């Protein structure tokens, strides 16, 4: 039951983008089309989950035993950057088609603060390895869900001719993002 609570909370209640406001840059920048949002969402789910697991292991088996917890942020940033580069190299050799599909999304993930934020949040919440994995996977799913919903809404906005000229483009997108965040606040009663 605890893992289901972590899953539901990370996807809906404490959504990494709409509630914690992490990863806003790719959320606004890549959400013009559903197809690109789908690729970015998949890449974020994968990298976020792997990065959280690796950062958990580094925290608990290197930083804490050596009493250098103050190096957490810098070591996590280095791990995330190295992990993204490693995944990019492996995908290029093992699965060129998947590498082509993810293309530009992998380097963008290096600068996504949601990846670092989830790794740090899982440490702050004192999650074990399995809880960290579930939390990271659910946070990635929540990011992807918010991104896909937002991209679909933005595509519909582009087709609409009823939007005032002053609100076209990014102003309308920011209004929709705010409404989407308010809609996700409705899930707050599901989980404590």
């Amino acid at each position: 039951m605890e893992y289901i609570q972590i899953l539901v909370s990370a996807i809906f209640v404490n959504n990494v983008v709409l509630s914690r406001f992490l990863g806003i840059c790719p959320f606004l920048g890549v959400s013009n089309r559903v197809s690109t949002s789908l690729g970015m969402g998949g890449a974020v789910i994968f990298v976020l989950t792997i990065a959280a697991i690796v950062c958990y292991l580094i925290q608990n088996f290197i930083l804490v035993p050596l009493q250098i917890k103050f190096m957490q942020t810098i070591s996590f940033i280095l791990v995330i950057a190295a992990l993204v580069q490693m995944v990019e190299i492996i995908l290029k050799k093992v699965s060129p088609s998947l590498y082509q599909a993810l293309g530009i999304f992998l380097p963008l993930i290096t600068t996504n603060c949601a990846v670092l934020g989830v790794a740090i949040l899982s440490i702050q919440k004192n999650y074990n390895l399995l809880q960290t994995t579930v939390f990271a996977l659910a946070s990635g799913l929540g990011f992807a869900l918010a991104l896909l919903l937002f991209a679909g809404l933005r595509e519909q906005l582009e087709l609409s001719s009823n939007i005032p000229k002053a609100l076209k483009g990014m102003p309308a997108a920011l209004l929709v993002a705010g409404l989407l965040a308010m809609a996700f606040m409705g899930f707050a009663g599901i989980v404590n």
Side-chain angles (χ1 to χ4, degrees):
M1 186 65 173
E2 178 183 354
Y3 295 103
I4 293 172
Q5 185 177 7
I6 291 171
L7 190 75
V8 171
S9 175
I11 293 174
F12 298 110
V13 180
N14 296 315
N15 186 287
V16 72
V17 177
L18 300 174
S19 177
R20 298 192 186 274
F21 305 112
L22 296 173
I24 296 293
C25 292
F27 180 71
L28 293 173
V30 185
S31 61
N32 292 331
R33 299 277 170 251
V34 172
S35 58
T36 57
S37 296
L38 189 62
M40 180 62 155
V44 166
I45 291 169
F46 178 74
V47 171
L48 199 143
T49 305
I50 299 299
I53 292 168
V54 172
C55 288
Y56 172 87
L57 295 172
I58 287 173
Q59 174 76 15
N60 289 303
F61 295 108
I62 297 174
L63 300 179
V64 171
L66 295 176
Q67 298 177 354
I68 54 172
K69 290 192 286 188
F70 61 89
M71 296 290 293
Q72 179 188 58
T73 304
I74 191 72
S75 60
F76 285 8
I77 289 171
L78 292 172
V79 164
I80 290 166
L83 183 65
V84 170
Q85 290 300 314
M86 187 175 64
V87 166
E88 191 172 359
I89 291 168
I90 291 170
L91 280 180
K92 193 174 188 178
K93 293 202 185 272
V94 174
S95 179
S97 60
L98 183 58
Y99 174 76
Q100 287 292 341
L102 292 177
I104 193 162
F105 301 127
L106 280 173
L108 284 175
I109 294 170
T110 304
T111 61
N112 187 344
C113 60
V115 178
L116 177 63
V118 167
I120 291 174
L121 282 170
S122 65
I123 299 296
Q124 288 176 347
K125 292 178 181 241
N126 292 321
Y127 284 158
N128 63 33
L129 184 59
L130 186 55
Q131 289 170 326
T132 297
T133 306
V134 170
F135 177 65
L137 180 64
S139 294
L141 289 170
F143 181 89
L145 175 66
L147 191 62
L148 288 172
L149 288 172
F150 189 55
L153 291 170
R154 284 186 74 179
E155 281 186 359
Q156 288 298 316
L157 278 175
E158 285 182 21
L159 297 175
S160 176
S161 61
N162 297 335
I163 299 173
K165 193 174 184 178
L167 289 179
K168 286 217 180 250
M170 193 53 71
L174 291 172
L175 286 172
V176 169
L179 291 172
L180 194 58
M182 286 174 41
F184 268 64
M185 285 175 58
F187 293 116
I190 293 176
V191 181
N192 294 333

